[in-house]
Amino acid sequence: MARLADYFVVVGYDLEKRGGCEGQGRILQRFPEKDWEDSPFPQGVELFCQPSGWQLVPDQLPPSFFVAVLTDINSDRHYCACFTFWEGLDNPQLQKAEASEADEADEVLSVVQPAKIFAPKSLVLVSQLDHTEVFRNCLGLIYTVHVDGLSAPLETVVGNLLTCVIPIAGGSQRTITLGAGDRQVIQTPINESLPVSGSSVAQLFRQLGIANVLCLFCAALTEHKILFLSSSYQRLTDACRALLAIMFPLKYSFTYIPILPGKLLEVLSTPTPFIIGVNSFFRSETQELLDVIIADLDGGTVTIPECVHISLLPEPLLQQTQTALSMVLDPELEVADHAFPPQSMQPSALKIQDKEIRAVFLWLFARLFQGYRWCLHIIRIHPEPVIRFHKAAFLGQRALSEDDFLTKVLDGMAFAGFVSERGPPYRATDLFDDLVANQVERIRQEEACPHKVMNHAKEVAEQLFKNENPYPAVAMHKIQRPSENSQNNAQNRAPFPMLDDVAVQLFIDHAAAKLKTAPPAVKPELKSMVPSGPPLGELFLAYIVDRNGNVMANSARRLEVVRNCITYIFENKMLEAKKLMPAVLRALKGRAARVCLTQELNQHVLQNRAVLDDQQFDYIVRMMNCTLQDCSHMDEHGIAAALLPLVTAFCRKLGAGVTQFAYSCVQEHMVWTNMQFWEAMFYSDVQNHIRHLYLETEDGGQEIGALELASEQSRLWPTLSKEMQMERVQKEESTVFSQAIHYANRMSYLLLPLDTSKNRLLRSSGLGDVESVSNSYVTNSIAGSMAESYDTESGFEDAESSDVANSVVRFINRFVDKVCNESGVTNEHLKALHAMIPDIVQMHIETLEAVHRESKRLPPIQKPKLLRPTLLPGEELVMEGMRVHLIPDGREEATGLMGGPPLLPAEGAIFLTTYRLIFKGTPTDPLGKRNFGCKEDIGLVNDGPVCPGGAPAALMKIAFDEEVASDLAEVFRKHLHKLRYPQHVQGTFAFTVGQSGKMVVEHKTKDKNQSLKTLSKNLVKSAKRTIGRQYVTRKKYSPPTWENRSSFQSELDEDEISVSEEVDQSSLTLSSTIRSSDRQTMSNVVERACCRDYQRLGLGTLSNSLTRSKNEPFRISTANRMYTVCRSYPGLLIVPQSIPDSTINRICRCYRQNRFPVVCWRNPRTKAVLLRSAGLHAKGVVGFFKSPNAPTAVPSQADSTSLEQEKYLQAIISSMPSYSENSGRNTLSGFTSTHMNTSGKWGSIRGSGRLSAYNPDVGTRLAGKESPQPNGGPSEAMFLRQQKAYLYIIGDKAQLKGGKQDSFQQWEVVPIEVCDVRQVKNSFKKLMKACVPSSSTSDPNMSFLRCLEESEWMALLHRVLQVSVLVVELLDTGSSVMVSLEDGWDVTTQVVSLVQLLSDPYYRTFDGFRLLVEKEWLSFGHRFSHRGAQTLGSQSSGFTPIFLQFLDCVHQIHLQFPMEFEFSQYYLKFLAYHYVSNRFRTFLLDSDYERIELGVLYEEKGERKNPQVCKSVWDYIDRLNKKTPVFYNYMFSPEDDEVLRPYTFISNLKVWDFYTEETLSEGPSYDWELRGRQERAAEETAEKPDTSGPKSQRHIVWPCYDNLTKVVPDAITKLLQDLQSLEAELGQATDKWKDTWDKIKTTQRTETKLESKPSFSSSLLMSSNLSHQRRSQGVYLQESGVGSSINLALDCEASATSTPVPGRPSTSTLYSQFQSSESENRSFEGILFKRGALLKPWKPRWFVLDKTKHQLRYYESRQDKECKGVIDLAEVESVTAGTPTMGAPKNIDEKAFFDLKTTKRVYNFCAQDSLNAQLWMDSVQSCLSDA
């Protein structure tokens, strides 16, 4: 029984303390005045009566009522029902005003004050029961008695109210009356544990909606802060009550304030979770709360701040709950679409609906918690049950260990309360207990069918409703309400009277006396055993089988493998076990197999077979480690728990009396350092022991569970005598105590490492990297390999063993304290334990020392022999081989997952040389060697340059073997860093090669610690920290390839070629340059490649021959010969003829880095020029666009510069023939549309037709875009516009802001967005992460294609290509273009080079491409060292592969135009590799100036002391190209003056396989000396005869292992090789491959002429019909890699058999025919008579002078394609007039004869007449002088 009301309080407005704007309330009267003992009077009631503040109001308001909830210090809730009405007062303001002076009165009275105002007064009931309606009626009655002046005295009513006593629960009905003619019936709920909600839950759903309430529900359960806003106080209380009701059976245990007064708003910034309601009046003050979820009841919204993440219910539960709720709230939704909807589908009444919603939530909790009782550990039964919940097991068996929501709920306070309240097995049960135990099966079967769920919910709802309303409604209520007129004449009503406290107190005392005499009401408690429901395991097996039946069969096979392997091990069939091992280790990834393993091993322990020999021990430990490795630290599947008794059982004998147990080898796992794991293990063991304790006393069935047993014991407890009770308590306590000792031992076993000189518990994580325990690891017979720990953080290796001991003791003490306090161990026992633990640990350490000592005596497992790597000439070892393991990274190709043998992990050694890092070794997979097709051993070679970059996409993840001392690993790291980032560029390999400075670091012998240390800091990551790719060599005989016939050495010497005869200037530093005569420097500068190119393009020459004339538009300026104008430009520059050098000095200041515009290429047809420069300085831009002739008195410096700049641009424009022709620019007569689209070839991939996502913003004159070209280039139509600028300046959008376009200028600025260098750097980093991930990931967002897209590398390529195509178009239509972006050395260089490559076929040959790179990249100062982060100084700026990006673009163009390039794709990869390898000096340093300063630029070729060391990559390529066709593209068949326009859409671009390919057998194929040696080594090893039996001709080729291009060469290379081997056999002198190839080409051509219908086979290589064949047959010649392959593969993209696009040349003319490479460039041709060699007659021949190839060729006749002979102009010494000799043609002028003297002989020629002869002599002379 309980009091209906504890206190009655009258609270009024406090007139005295009225200060400022806010008034205060005060308690006028309170009954009883003395506090009850069981519930003290709550403080602060007056605040809660007026939560928004006490205020006087001008008009009377209607009475209001609400219930606030106060929580006291014992967390008991008090319900304060507040009834507030307003009473009239005379306005105190007016009285005050009269009293004060006049001036003050003016102020106050400026607002008209009412004469009467109203003050609030509240009647408050404080109760511990929540009967809202009863309180409303009682307080209303008191108010009515006062207003209507009923006869009953107020004291009597209040007295009766305070003395009314009602039962708390039990479902009884009680009628009460307060003595004013009233009568009320109070119904009490049947079960007090179920919340009473009225209709508040239904209301809440109506206000907020299903999703919002579910969101709040999850937020409350996962302990977030929730704030309700409403303008109604009662609604706030209802909403909070509703939220608590749906959380049942969990109870909310944090701050709960349904109505928070405005004065206490700072409570909202509390750090703990809460549920609080606040009036909307204070909405603005809740805005700045950052972590509070705000639910607005009036607006129906829930606002979740950004920083708050609410974990929602797991699917499919969430979906099913939402469905069920919508069926309750909106039943019509289901039939809304029916043609004949049923008549009545109204939702239930609010009260019923409320219960249905609650039933759905109960159903939800029953599903969430089903089986929870099977995870309770009962650790004490007497005197009070102590129960713990095993969270990990629950989550593991429910397969929800990853689920965020459930994990948080189980960790929460509410669930802890749930366990302590519902855990005890013997107690009163309620509806939830029944649901979660007895109806699980029903719930499981019905969950998928919403209607059945609904029926179930309705049944539960009925029970809930019956609980609240046990009796049918009775109409016995009789409550007076105030009459109408009393409310109307409220103005003149008397205030609420003061009550007579004595009278009220008498009532209370009288009632108290009566209670004392009454007999105590005894309510029998219905306790019973709580049912547990079906066990978890069965439940979820049923689930899993339902979902996927087939999984079972598959796993059964795996379990069979595990069982067999264990059987073999124990039967000592080691070979069989070894075979099964890899399969077992893979199977152990699955949970079933791990459980099976523990059960099988347990069987063997039970059969006393726990003592093993060394090999058995190794295998068992390996399997245990593998099993543990995939367990999380929570051990949710109980695997570690099952292994714990086994690791202390299995052992091996090491020597006399020394036994090593398995636990010393399985310590490296997180789970052992997890306190929760040990607690759960301890509790489950204690539970078992306590169960046995009572099972012995009752000889009943063995199958009683611990909870049932505990329940039975609790039932009997009251019947036992005191002695019996004490005895049982002691027995239990000593059981717990003995277990604690046992666990202290167990923990010391698993926490103390074998070698206690090292520590690992000091690590914050408890352990190092979990990865270190890879399942491929074989425990060394050196005993505790796995138990090896890490060095302590302090770094003292030989720290006192007490460190370890202390930390282990501390850990065990913490554990013991926690579990003993929870399970009620006595203090004496606890002290004894604390004293015991250090002894236990010390004793164990002593045992371990003996084991450790003995284990070292074991013979170590045989390790593979270390293989020595072959080194390059001049390459030296920095560190001898260190034994390491190569661990798989994120790429799966080598791990065997993609098919093929697992090549990784591999064991071997790592060698650090001055050039690269090499790994050589073999796969560790014991069957790896067998998996290969041949019996020979396979070896892995893994190398790559160490110096900057390394192979761009290389990654080695290595773990040092236990024999490598840790300091050695550190030395290795330091050396690696030193080699990667030398102090100066001169420290790089290209400079140090051959300078022997021995730095070899010797091994220290080491025996102290054997441990597998993981250097998993990804020591080696992407391009910046790359250490080579991984490769594997197979020692397998292969016939000597033709390119390696003679010893490689002599080959290198035999054709030492001198590129040009240069003066020895290797010692040239800049100071000496300046001192030496200008002429000498100039001669060197002229020799530079770019000058040859300028002459080829006709852009000016330096010779004084007749060819130089003043009317040439451009000249070569020597203004920069001393690099004074611009440090980063070459010495010679092309500028307009009319611009003097003095102007140049001034102009250059406007541009960044002084890089002013210079001409770099001229279109031979339209004579438009291409210029490059840096962007303008900011002030330059403005001056540039302002009108230059502004009327200023004295032109300022800026203005004059700006004028000169205009002059400069004007000079360029006037050099264009189109400008002079048109003598103006209004007409475009010179440029017809034919000019525009006749020449040029589109990519061989059809355009996708969609617009490019990125359109360069072409300037205003180009803005009339009709439609862009299908390749992402600009549309043709826009070039046909009337006004076309003569010069387009491609500038950076960001720079050109604010510039105005002058309509009369002849140039136009085209602003485009360029990619900034940082973008390229970051993009490349991400590209590397995608191509070479360091660890594998299962995250679908991290797939290769997703990462590739996120890197945006393809988008950057697209952008560069697109701008280049735009420029090509502009140049081709006759406008000049100036590319003026960033500093003029990154993007500018890319664009300018690509434009020349696309426009000029010469640059697509070997010589041309070399020249292009030398000219645009090297001479024009691309910052190779800086961008490649080659030195310590540039390390911070990072690796930014601008040049690599350019090569990637060339690769993309090459893919689209395979017949236009003389070089193969392999050539590009070769350059890309050596761009970062630092083997050659070509790509070092930032400009010619720096190269001269270091004396690199003009090294004389003759000074090479070491002929093997090539300084330049070009020489190396030339030399290689003579020997092997590896760089040559067999499909090379260019068309004349072909302009390429590639497709640039991202969909047309391909990822360059250079980033992804890998050859584990031999390392990168870009260092050819190594290849030759490796092959010879392979031949030598294979020469031993193999008598084992017939050898198969078949040969397995593994991707990622073999070098495909070498193992599977292409047809042409194979034929060339066969031809050479035949010639060698026949003893003929072999030709160079190029000669053979050229011969074949020419014969092929003559054949096709003879045949009218060329057969496919004969014309495959060269037929005039090839283009057609290529299109229709889809013959697609792939790139030639090493050994240069051409796979005649069908490639659908290449075989675009589409009809020709109108407006383009048709495909047959596109690839018209292969032409002889000789007939490309004919500078001058005609008939000459030539005198034959000795005694031969004069004969007429057709002569061709070829400036490009620098040759004079002759043919039989003009039509002849086959060249009869060639005179190399390099050998010509002079051209002189000759005299007629014997047999010369008759009737010919004497002056028509001339002689050509070469180094070998003199040629005599005769022309048709003297004029002709003079022309020939001049032409030859000009060629010579140009050279």
Side-chain angles (χ1 to χ4, degrees), residues 313-510:
L313 291 165
E315 287 292 358
L317 259 183
L318 181 62
Q319 192 50 50
Q320 290 167 353
T321 311
Q322 281 175 331
T323 311
L325 288 171
S326 78
M327 288 171 77
V328 172
L329 290 160
D330 187 6
E332 292 177 359
L333 176 65
E334 243 195 315
V335 295
D337 290 352
H338 287 197
F340 306 107
Q343 293 302 311
S344 57
M345 277 297 282
Q346 290 305 311
S348 332
L350 260 192
K351 276 186 183 173
I352 308 290
Q353 202 181 27
D354 179 273
K355 304 302 171 284
E356 286 172 358
I357 293 170
R358 279 179 54 197
V360 171
F361 278 95
L362 267 176
W363 170 86
L364 166 68
F365 273 114
R367 286 195 58 192
L368 273 179
F369 292 161
Q370 62 194 31
Y372 82 96
R373 297 198 70 78
W374 292 93
C375 296
L376 293 177
H377 284 159
I378 183 141
I379 41 181
R380 288 295 291 274
I381 302 176
H382 305 319
E384 283 292 315
V386 178
I387 289 187
R388 286 286 160 269
F389 182 71
H390 191 351
K391 182 181 105 181
F394 182 70
L395 288 172
Q397 292 190 292
R398 294 284 308 265
L400 285 170
S401 46
E402 299 301 312
D403 181 55
D404 213 17
F405 173 76
L406 198 52
T407 312
K408 283 184 180 167
V409 171
L410 298 186
D411 283 335
M413 293 263 290
F415 189 74
F418 172 86
V419 169
S420 56
E421 182 192 343
R422 293 186 177 262
Y426 186 67
R427 58 174 170 81
T429 58
D430 64 14
L431 184 58
F432 177 73
D433 290 313
D434 174 57
L435 260 184
V436 82
N438 304 334
Q439 310 211 13
V440 177
E441 199 46 47
R442 175 176 174 186
I443 290 176
R444 191 177 75 72
Q445 286 165 358
E446 293 178 355
E447 69 182 42
C449 171
H451 285 283
K452 290 184 178 169
V453 172
M454 225 34 253
N455 292 338
H456 194 177
K458 288 200 161 135
E459 290 169 28
V460 176
E462 262 174 50
Q463 289 172 278
L464 286 171
F465 187 74
K466 187 131 178 43
N467 181 61
E468 270 179 51
N469 309 290
Y471 297 99
V474 201
M476 286 169 63
H477 288 291
K478 180 176 172 219
I479 294 290
Q480 281 83 352
R481 293 186 56 155
S483 57
E484 287 295 315
N485 59 0
S486 70
Q487 286 183 25
N488 295 343
N489 58 17
Q491 300 279 347
N492 319 314
R493 192 186 313 129
F496 192 83
M498 290 297 273
L499 302 184
D500 180 357
D501 41 9
V502 181
V504 176
Q505 192 59 43
L506 268 170
F507 269 99
I508 295 168
D509 296 343
H510 183 64

Side-chain angles (χ1 to χ4, degrees), residues 561 564-584 615-616 619 622-623 926-927:
V561 170
N564 289 345
C565 187
I566 293 174
T567 314
Y568 288 142
I569 291 172
F570 282 100
E571 290 173 1
N572 243 333
K573 296 182 179 167
M574 284 307 161
L575 197 64
E576 298 296 323
K578 187 174 181 178
K579 280 185 194 166
L580 284 182
M581 207 60 185
V584 170
Q615 244 189 323
Q616 291 174 321
Y619 278 139
R622 253 182 93 178
M623 288 159 89
L927 302 176

Side-chain angles (χ1 to χ4, degrees), residues 76 86 134 153 165 382 387 499 644 782 821 1088 1105 1202 1728 1731 1820:
D76 291 329
W86 275 261
V134 176
V165 178
H382 305 319
I387 289 187
L499 302 184
L644 189 59
I782 302 178
N821 286 332
R1088 285 295 279 159
S1105 68
S1202 171
L1728 288 174
R1731 182 182 170 189
V1820 175

